[in-house]
Amino acid sequence: QVQLVESGGGLVQAGGSLRLSCAASGSIFDIKAMGWYRQAPGMQRELVATISSGGSTNYADSVKGRFTISRDNAENTVDLQMNSLKPEDTAVYYCNAVHRRTYNAPFFNYWGQGTQVTVSS
């Protein structure tokens, strides 16, 4: 099993910045990708940004140029630096890891408990 623990959410004014962090622990063998997703009230969970073990990144169009994802493979952590925040960024942010427990095992998605980000106008 893999556990993900997020930190760094909070309340910030529009135009401000926040940094989210996520640490993976447990029986970790191979994390292919890590990322951040978010879910606003009444909305479906959506991708914010992902990063592969090789460092390739993918961002939602709505956050490109404002958010930066980074990863420490040795520490099994992933961070999300969020700048120029907008009220529409308000959501619960979830950390995600795509992990397999052996070379022959399938990959599974693991999720953190979520951290609230609120951007006031």
Side-chain angles (χ1 to χ4, degrees):
Q1 280 287 58
V2 175
Q3 294 81 43
L4 301 174
V5 178
E6 303 114 332
S7 61
L11 173 64
V12 65
Q13 287 189 332
S17 297
L18 281 175
R19 188 176 184 87
L20 305 182
S21 296
C22 173
S25 63
S27 301
I28 295 172
F29 177 75
D30 180 18
I31 298 179
K32 179 171 70 172
M34 299 187 79
W36 292 91
Y37 291 71
R38 67 187 181 187
Q39 187 167 18
M43 305 292 286
Q44 289 189 334
R45 190 173 297 187
E46 64 176 4
L47 178 148
V48 176
T50 61
I51 184 167
S52 71
S53 56
S56 297
T57 58
N58 180 45
Y59 293 92
D61 288 343
S62 59
V63 307
K64 283 181 181 176
R66 301 187 298 123
F67 291 10
T68 302
I69 191 170
S70 59
R71 177 178 172 177
D72 185 327
N73 290 332
E75 297 294 326
N76 294 312
T77 59
V78 61
D79 291 345
L80 185 69
Q81 178 65 43
M82 305 185 293
N83 298 328
S84 302
L85 282 161
K86 304 175 181 180
E88 50 263 44
D89 294 317
T90 295
V92 177
Y93 283 69
Y94 295 91
C95 178
N96 169 265
V98 182
H99 173 267
R100 61 179 175 179
R101 57 185 178 87
T102 70
Y103 281 120
N104 296 321
F107 284 97
F108 287 99
N109 278 298
Y110 293 86
W111 297 93
Q113 79 285 356
T115 185
Q116 177 70 46
V117 171
T118 303
V119 184
S120 63
S121 57

